[in-house]
Amino acid sequence: MKIPNFADIRAAKARISSFVNSTPLLTNKTINELSGAEIHFKCENFQKVGAFKFRGACNSVFALDDQSASKGVATHSSGNHAQALALAAKMRGIPATIVMPNNSPQVKKDAVAGYGAEIVFCEPTLEARESTLDKVIAEKGHTFIHPYDNYNVICGQGTAAMEILEEAHDFDAVIAPVGGGGLLSGTAIATKCINPSIKVYAAEPEGADDAYRSFKAGEIIPSVKPNTICDGLLTSLGKLNFEIISKNVDEIFTANDDEIKSAMRLVWERMKIIIEPSSAVPLAVVLKNKELFAGQKIAIIISGGNVDLGKLVF
Amino acid sequence: MKIPNFADIRAAKARISSFVNSTPLLTNKTINELSGAEIHFKCENFQKVGAFKFRGACNSVFALDDQSASKGVATHSSGNHAQALALAAKMRGIPATIVMPNNSPQVKKDAVAGYGAEIVFCEPTLEARESTLDKVIAEKGHTFIHPYDNYNVICGQGTAAMEILEEAHDFDAVIAPVGGGGLLSGTAIATKCINPSIKVYAAEPEGADDAYRSFKAGEIIPSVKPNTICDGLLTSLGKLNFEIISKNVDEIFTANDDEIKSAMRLVWERMKIIIEPSSAVPLAVVLKNKELFAGQKIAIIISGGNVDLGKLVF
């Protein structure tokens, strides 16, 4: 298994920098006082399509050679990766096909269609997703861009941490949420290559703690019947992601949904920014482990801001 | 009636610059496409206490000579000005007393008390507010800082427009919401002094259109039984504010609550920032009058981001 290195992430940054938003690092005095730490929030909720996912999708699309690119890209996703890949393909002017479960919310279908991608619906099972995708690829010659278990996707996601560490080198820790592990693995490689003394931590909901258990067990333990408000963190770790995480991540912490809701509300109320539940897990973890993080300078990656305003958890 | 001039606003900026946040100007591609204009949002929702009001309160408190300051400040308000004055007084280390109606929401009482101000409750009538405030001032020798009909408050509010025009001179128009007129009058003076060719527009809810009617009539018409979701824009214009507005504002536009809600939702969903209903009126006005603003470069002042997340209007 080929592991991305820092040169790959640097190349990704050069490749995508004219397409992605260079998002701000924000701080908040009240949250610093409450936590006893100095927290810098990397606002990927301000990224295109409202989530860090655009970085990886964009890098994957623009890393293709012209011939492969002209044949288009495909993925199965009903979430942020679907929109991200659709927009990246649109920017390169190539076709994209997204396999989506037929019970996906209308707002997500509309968003993907709005970026000009073709949607192929399937039954809402993993098996149907994969077989439908295989069929699409066989027919159209598309390149499959996996949402997280993909070399170029991981490199793209690592550019968020690169941007953080270009603004300041002296962080004690960087914390990212973990679902499939795309953001976390990219973050870990970028951070450890720039400064190995910076700790890389992951934050995961208790109701979907397969990454925590996998990390402790030393092998991938699949996510079975996850139960959490963090709709972006339900999947199992990818193989390449697990390989990177087990070597480069210092610790995985968990928080329960009440702690996550409370951290999310704190960010909305005090910072006046909209973050999705998955993005609140790192802050929940810091507030839960104050003695551990006291006095530290910490970067937290806010993964995205895509919430259904009609179904708020407050 | 002494009208503030540009030197006063410049002095205000120098006085408060180490205490206020220099807030960002944000743009959004989708909103530009929808409106046909190039809109730059001045994010006073990221200001201290979550609203532009801190600028005026801060300028008023720090403009006092030492002797007056030592005797403290007072106001009557249940909104953002109350918190703003309480925080400004705390920063200068002087006493503050806030007269609040006894039916104010607990969260607002807590916020004011949290900044160390003394709260004196009164019956929820204008008469009780004023008589209670008079009593407080007579007893304590406090200086009364009116929420908007106040020279130094107006100068402080004008610093937001100064910051905008320091970033770029070439705006076609600046638009601010109007309630009592503190923000609008400060914005008008600052803008017209820097570049008289920039239009200054106000945006007001139809359900509280007293400023629109006053502007057209040439005299202050009081706000009677206003009915709008814009809880920050219910009051009548102040005298000094009206004097400034009638000479320096080019036009006042109105929008109804449905248009305001829809503009607010657009900002939340697309920009991932939290703005209060009052802040959405200028965008509602631009979207309602597309032909008028087409192709223009417009600055909109987002007045604040203080919303009760338990009572959302979506």
Side-chain angles (χ1 to χ4, degrees):
Chain A
M1 212 177 308
K2 194 184 157 207
I3 305 288
N5 59 36
F6 189 55
D8 296 322
I9 297 182
R10 206 151 40 189
K13 185 156 185 284
R15 188 178 290 128
I16 67 176
S17 63
S18 60
F19 303 106
V20 303
N21 293 338
S22 175
T23 55
L25 264 183
L26 300 184
T27 60
N28 182 272
K29 208 179 154 205
T30 306
I31 293 177
N32 284 347
E33 284 169 3
L34 280 172
S35 65
E38 179 188 327
I39 305 178
H40 296 249
F41 294 90
K42 176 68 170 169
C43 290
E44 288 296 297
N45 50 335
F46 298 157
Q47 189 51 264
K48 289 195 173 127
V49 313
F52 76 91
K53 292 272 184 184
F54 183 64
R55 294 177 182 270
C58 196
N59 189 47
S60 304
V61 163
F62 284 90
L64 291 172
D65 62 49
D66 286 347
Q67 201 191 345
S68 307
S70 67
K71 291 184 184 158
V73 289
T75 198
H76 54 72
S77 163
S78 58
N80 291 331
H81 178 65
Q83 292 182 50
L85 191 67
L87 177 59
K90 184 187 177 192
M91 282 177 163
R92 187 155 180 188
I94 63 173
T97 305
I98 313 292
V99 174
M100 288 179 96
N102 50 22
N103 62 353
S104 300
Q106 190 61 39
V107 59
K108 301 213 167 183
K109 297 177 194 170
D110 292 346
V112 169
Y115 292 122
E118 185 182 341
I119 302 176
V120 174
F121 292 106
C122 67
E123 293 300 311
T125 66
L126 182 60
E127 199 191 2
R129 278 186 176 209
E130 289 179 348
S131 64
T132 309
L133 182 69
D134 287 346
K135 220 175 122 192
V136 165
I137 287 170
E139 275 173 17
K140 309 201 178 191
H142 281 348
T143 299
F144 173 38
I145 311 291
H146 191 281
Y148 46 89
D149 197 357
N150 175 296
Y151 196 90
N152 286 316
V153 167
I154 292 170
C155 294
Q157 317 306 29
T159 62
M162 259 193 86
E163 285 181 11
I164 294 171
L165 298 173
E166 280 172 358
E167 275 199 52
H169 287 284
D170 59 342
F171 284 97
D172 296 297
V174 176
I175 314 179
V178 59
L183 178 63
L184 179 59
S185 52
T187 300
I189 291 170
T191 303
K192 293 295 186 186
C193 288
I194 292 173
N195 182 349
S197 72
I198 299 175
K199 300 286 186 190
V200 175
Y201 298 126
E204 195 176 36
E206 276 181 15
D209 67 344
D210 57 291
Y212 171 80
R213 288 181 292 121
S214 302
F215 188 73
K216 296 298 177 191
E219 60 179 355
I220 297 179
I221 297 173
S223 176
V224 180
K225 295 193 186 168
N227 180 16
T228 169
I229 55 165
C230 301
D231 54 343
L233 306 177
L234 303 177
T235 50
S236 305
L237 285 175
K239 282 180 193 157
L240 182 52
N241 312 95
F242 177 71
E243 186 72 18
I244 296 166
I245 289 166
S246 51
K247 285 186 185 138
N248 294 282
V249 169
D250 293 283
E251 187 57 270
I252 298 182
F253 297 94
T254 61
N256 67 39
D257 276 11
D258 283 342
E259 292 159 343
I260 294 164
K261 270 186 218 178
S262 156
M264 177 168 156
R265 185 166 190 141
L266 191 61
V267 169
W268 284 49
E269 288 187 337
R270 291 296 176 157
M271 298 182 69
K272 312 296 180 191
I273 62 173
I274 294 176
I275 67 169
E276 55 198 36
S278 307
S279 297
V281 193
L283 178 59
V285 154
V286 170
L287 292 172
K288 192 179 180 175
N289 299 279
K290 280 187 195 174
E291 46 324 310
L292 186 65
F293 295 104
Q296 293 193 16
K297 181 171 176 177
I298 297 166
I300 281 179
I301 304 182
I302 297 290
S303 50
N306 292 332
V307 293
D308 183 341
L309 292 177
K311 292 179 185 169
L312 292 180
V313 296
F314 299 121
Chain B
M1 213 179 301
K2 195 185 156 206
I3 306 287
N5 59 37
F6 189 54
D8 295 323
I9 297 182
R10 204 151 42 191
K13 187 158 183 285
R15 189 179 288 128
I16 68 177
S17 62
S18 60
F19 303 107
V20 302
N21 294 337
S22 176
T23 55
L25 264 182
L26 300 184
T27 60
N28 183 271
K29 207 178 154 207
T30 305
I31 293 177
N32 285 346
E33 284 168 3
L34 281 172
S35 65
E38 179 188 326
I39 305 178
H40 296 249
F41 294 91
K42 175 68 172 170
C43 290
E44 288 295 299
N45 51 335
F46 297 158
Q47 189 50 264
K48 290 198 171 126
V49 315
F52 76 90
K53 293 272 185 183
F54 183 65
R55 295 178 182 270
C58 195
N59 189 47
S60 305
V61 163
F62 283 91
L64 292 171
D65 62 49
D66 285 347
Q67 201 190 347
S68 306
S70 67
K71 289 183 184 159
V73 289
T75 199
H76 53 71
S77 164
S78 58
N80 292 331
H81 178 65
Q83 292 182 52
L85 191 67
L87 177 58
K90 185 186 174 191
M91 284 177 161
R92 186 153 180 189
I94 64 172
T97 306
I98 313 293
V99 174
M100 290 180 95
N102 50 24
N103 62 353
S104 301
Q106 190 62 39
V107 59
K108 301 212 166 185
K109 297 177 193 170
D110 291 347
V112 170
Y115 291 123
E118 185 182 341
I119 303 176
V120 174
F121 293 107
C122 66
E123 292 301 310
T125 67
L126 182 60
E127 200 192 1
R129 277 187 178 209
E130 289 179 347
S131 64
T132 309
L133 182 69
D134 288 346
K135 218 175 123 193
V136 164
I137 287 171
E139 274 173 19
K140 306 199 178 190
H142 282 348
T143 299
F144 172 38
I145 311 290
H146 190 282
Y148 45 89
D149 196 356
N150 175 296
Y151 196 91
N152 286 315
V153 167
I154 292 171
C155 294
Q157 317 307 29
T159 61
M162 259 193 85
E163 284 181 12
I164 293 172
L165 299 173
E166 279 171 358
E167 277 199 50
H169 287 284
D170 59 341
F171 284 98
D172 296 297
V174 177
I175 314 178
V178 58
L183 177 64
L184 179 59
S185 52
T187 300
I189 291 171
T191 304
K192 292 295 185 185
C193 288
I194 292 173
N195 183 349
S197 71
I198 300 175
K199 299 285 186 191
V200 175
Y201 297 127
E204 194 176 36
E206 276 181 15
D209 68 345
D210 57 291
Y212 172 79
R213 289 182 291 121
S214 304
F215 188 72
K216 296 298 178 191
E219 60 179 353
I220 298 179
I221 297 173
S223 176
V224 179
K225 294 192 186 166
N227 180 15
T228 170
I229 55 165
C230 301
D231 54 341
L233 306 177
L234 303 177
T235 51
S236 305
L237 286 175
K239 283 180 191 159
L240 181 54
N241 312 95
F242 176 71
E243 186 73 18
I244 296 167
I245 289 166
S246 50
K247 286 187 185 138
N248 295 282
V249 169
D250 294 283
E251 188 56 272
I252 298 182
F253 296 95
T254 61
N256 66 39
D257 276 11
D258 283 343
E259 292 158 345
I260 294 165
K261 270 185 218 177
S262 156
M264 178 170 156
R265 187 168 188 138
L266 191 62
V267 170
W268 284 48
E269 287 187 339
R270 291 297 175 157
M271 299 182 68
K272 312 297 180 190
I273 62 173
I274 293 176
I275 68 170
E276 55 197 36
S278 308
S279 297
V281 193
L283 178 59
V285 155
V286 170
L287 293 172
K288 191 178 181 174
N289 299 280
K290 280 187 195 173
E291 50 316 315
L292 184 68
F293 294 104
Q296 293 194 14
K297 180 169 175 177
I298 297 165
I300 281 178
I301 304 182
I302 296 290
S303 49
N306 292 330
V307 292
D308 184 341
L309 292 176
K311 292 180 187 171
L312 292 180
V313 296
F314 300 118

